[in-house]
Every structure is written in structure tokens, then in C-alpha cells.
């Protein structure tokens, strides 16, 4: 079942999917004056995500030839799955060129193919707020990464491994945060594992795939280097999931 990918955010965030500013204003007024009518109008508006050939105003929907579409299946029989893998997000993929590089169990380890540096990066725009920035500083000639086109300055965005295997980086926990009220930043509750420790484990891995991303043309200015020496006290603030 095809639908507009960006428009689907309205459903996920429980927002009406208005197709014009006038309708948006009308729905805002109904939310207070006639909440039951607003609720039904909101639910009805979600059907618009299926307008894959939309040719009207580009307020919340993209025109058919410019829309990013996704397909949803009612069910996928296990017999149709060719393989399953666990995905561990390390960085972020923001539409830049990316390639997947295999490191077979009987082949080179990650560290023999590429040399990397690792630091923790904090960004208020991501969840978890911390992500591991793995920068490629050198690529071995003739290796899998070099063959795939990976070069100096590329980063690793995620690690893929067979689901039946153990966690490839077991010391990398989910980093949840608490609001500090300072510039709306979210800080981790506890200090994360040392980046150097995780990098040492990563260099020894085989039987995994790494997804490398080319450098961004416009790096995210909200990113900042996280100081691993910080002692993060417990906070009475509420956990943030956004």
C-alpha cells in the first residue's frame, strides 16, 4: 500500500494533515470550539497520505512526481525473508552517499581494512542525544572499503550483524537523556562507555557489515564534541524521548 513518506509523520505525531493554510487555521479553531468534530476531521485527513499522485497545493503533501513514497505490506511471511540482520545505529544518515561494506567471518577484520578515530558527539536534534562519530582517517589499498569507494573523511553510520549472533558492541547501551533547561539541550544521565574502548572492539570484528557515509556538504552545526571526562549526576528532570 503506497503512501507519502513525509506526510506519514502527521499520523505518527497525531497531527491533522491539512492541505492548505486556510484548512490548518480552520482545524486549529475547531480543536477548541468543537473538539469532537476536530477529532473526526483529523482522522479523516490522514487518508491523504495515500494520495501518491497528488497534484494539488504543496502545503503538506508533495506532488506525485516529487513525493518520497513508501510501501506498506499487511504481512510479510517469514518464508519470504531472504535474510535478517540486527542494525546498531552509530551515527546518522542524512541522505548523503552511503555504501555497505562486508567483513566476512573468514576475512579481514574491520581494523585491517580501515583506520578510524572515535569520539562521542552530542546533538539536541537526535535521539539518543549521543552518537558515536567514527571518522575514517585511512583506507587500506585494495580492501573492501576502498573497493566500495570509501575514503578519508567518511563516517560509519550503522553496523549490521546476523540476528542470531551476540551483540557486536555489548558495551554500547541506549543513551537516554534528561532535560537540563539549558538551550533545550538533552544530556545523558550517565557517562557513556569510552569511545576508544568501543573503537578497539569494533576493529576486531568480523562477520559484520558497516555502512559508511560520505562527508556531508553542510555539516550539522548543532553537533558538539561530548566531554567524556564529565561526571553526569542523576537528575530529577523527566526523561526526554524527543
Amino acid at each position: 500500500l503506497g503512501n507519502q513518506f513525509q506526510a506519514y509523520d502527521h499520523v505518527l505525531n497525531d497531527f491533522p494533515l491539512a492541505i492548505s493554510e486556510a484548512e490548518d487555521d480552520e482545524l486549529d479553531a475547531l480543536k477548541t470550539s468543537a473538539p469532537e468534530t476536530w477529532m473526526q476531521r483529523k482522522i479523516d485527513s490522514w487518508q491523504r497520505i495515500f494520495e501518491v499522485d497528488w497534484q494539488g497545493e504543496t502545503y503538506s503533501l508533495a506532488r506525485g512526481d516529487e513525493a518520497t513514497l513508501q510501501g506498506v505490506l499487511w504481512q510479510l511471511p517469514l518464508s519470504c525473508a531472504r535474510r535478517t540482520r540486527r542494525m546498531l545505529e552509530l551515527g546518522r544518515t542524512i541522505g548523503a552517499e552511503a555504501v555497505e561494506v562486508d567483513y566476512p567471518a573468514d576475512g579481514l577484520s574491520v581494523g585491517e581494512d580501515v583506520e578510524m578515530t572515535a569520539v562521542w558527539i552530542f546533538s539536541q536534534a537526535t535521539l539518543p542525544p549521543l552518537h558515536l562519530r567514527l571518522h575514517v582517517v585511512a583506507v587500506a589499498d585494495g580492501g573492501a572499503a576502498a573497493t566500495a569507494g570509501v575514503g578519508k573523511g567518511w563516517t560509519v553510520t550503522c553496523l549490521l550483524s546476523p540476528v542470531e549472533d551476540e551483540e557486536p558492541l555489548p558495551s554500547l547501551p541506549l543513551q537516554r537523556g534528561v532535560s537540563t533547561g539549558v538551550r533545550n539541550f538533552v544530556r545523558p544521565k550517565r557517562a557513556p562507555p569510552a569511545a576508544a574502548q568501543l573503537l578497539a572492539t569494533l576493529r576486531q570484528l568480523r562477520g559484520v557489515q558497516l555502512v559508511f557515509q560520505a562527508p556531508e556538504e553542510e555539516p550539522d552545526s548543532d553537533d558538539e564534541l561530548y566531554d567524556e571526562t564529565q561526571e553526569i549526576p542523576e537528575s530529577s528532570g523527566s526523561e526526554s524521548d524527543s
Side-chain angles (χ1 to χ4, degrees):
L1 185 61
N3 57 84
Q4 292 211 20
F5 178 68
Q6 279 82 4
Y8 197 70
D9 282 348
H10 288 74
V11 183
L12 295 177
N13 292 296
D14 199 28
F15 295 150
L17 182 55
I19 57 174
S20 67
E21 186 174 358
E23 185 184 20
D24 219 348
D25 292 341
E26 178 188 358
L27 288 168
D28 277 345
L30 284 174
K31 188 174 182 178
T32 302
S33 63
E36 291 185 0
T37 301
W38 172 82
M39 177 67 72
Q40 189 58 53
R41 288 275 301 274
K42 176 184 70 173
I43 295 172
D44 291 344
S45 74
W46 291 343
Q47 292 298 314
R48 292 166 173 164
I49 67 173
F50 303 112
E51 297 281 356
V52 295
D53 295 318
W54 177 254
Q55 296 300 320
E57 184 178 347
T58 56
Y59 182 71
S60 296
L61 293 173
R63 294 185 184 276
D65 57 346
E66 299 175 350
T68 299
L69 304 181
Q70 66 178 354
V72 179
L73 302 176
W74 179 250
Q75 67 178 16
L76 179 67
L78 186 60
S79 58
C80 294
R82 300 175 60 181
R83 64 172 174 170
T84 54
R85 295 179 296 178
R86 177 189 292 110
M87 183 179 76
L88 178 62
E89 290 185 287
L90 299 174
R92 293 178 297 151
T93 302
I94 318 180
E97 178 187 359
V99 297
E100 181 181 309
V101 178
D102 291 327
Y103 294 96
D106 58 352
L108 295 176
S109 71
V110 174
E112 295 173 280
D113 191 47
V114 291
E115 182 181 345
M116 291 178 287
T117 59
V119 291
W120 282 105
I121 296 294
F122 166 77
S123 174
Q124 62 175 329
T126 64
L127 182 69
L130 288 178
H131 57 273
L132 194 64
R133 178 69 57 79
L134 293 161
H135 275 291
V136 175
V137 295
V139 182
D141 292 338
T147 302
V150 176
K152 181 178 179 180
W154 286 50
T155 56
V156 177
T157 58
C158 69
L159 185 156
L160 304 167
S161 63
V163 294
E164 63 271 13
D165 287 0
E166 295 181 0
E167 288 286 354
L169 294 177
S171 57
L172 185 60
L174 176 63
Q175 296 293 325
R176 293 195 178 276
V178 292
S179 175
T180 64
V182 180
R183 292 199 296 163
N184 296 319
F185 274 13
V186 177
R187 294 293 186 183
K189 276 190 171 182
R190 300 176 183 87
Q197 171 193 345
L198 294 171
L199 180 58
T201 302
L202 182 67
R203 285 173 174 159
Q204 301 171 21
L205 292 182
R206 294 181 173 86
V208 299
Q209 296 83 38
L210 293 187
V211 177
F212 292 89
Q213 179 183 319
E216 300 173 41
E217 292 184 2
E218 298 181 4
D220 193 335
S221 60
D222 290 334
D223 286 357
E224 66 177 50
L225 185 64
Y226 173 76
D227 183 358
E228 292 189 25
T229 65
Q230 282 183 263
E231 291 294 331
I232 308 299
E234 288 290 339
S235 169
S236 59
S238 60
E239 269 196 357
S240 171
D241 289 324
S242 61

